Amino acid sequence: QTENARHFVVAGAGLAIAEGELEARRLAHALQTCLGDFEALVTMAEAARAGAHADAAVRLAAACVAAAEGRP
């Protein structure tokens, strides 16, 4: 999960809180900070959209079928 989160954080598409540091107050503060800064949310959304792979589900399903059938 950490590596998946790091991808988004590095791209500017999100933030991460380490599991060992995750507590209700910390999460609430992070959410309040995000929700209080609309421009930052828009920036994160744009970064997420820029890094998105619209066909990811189709590609993953095709790779699973190929693997199940013994194809490379």
Side-chain angles (χ1 to χ4, degrees):
Q1 295 296 345
T2 301
E3 287 302 314
N4 290 334
R6 188 181 332 269
H7 170 77
F8 288 98
V9 172
V10 168
L15 55 90
I17 301 172
E19 186 175 352
E21 299 172 8
L22 184 59
E23 56 184 39
R25 286 185 183 169
R26 176 98 188 253
L27 179 58
H29 177 72
L31 290 172
Q32 287 173 343
T33 300
C34 287
L35 294 174
D37 188 347
F38 184 74
E39 288 183 28
L41 285 176
V42 169
T43 299
M44 282 192 234
E46 289 172 346
R49 191 175 302 114
H53 299 278
D55 63 341
V58 172
R59 291 171 44 199
L60 179 59
C64 290
V65 169
E69 293 175 348
R71 294 183 283 131

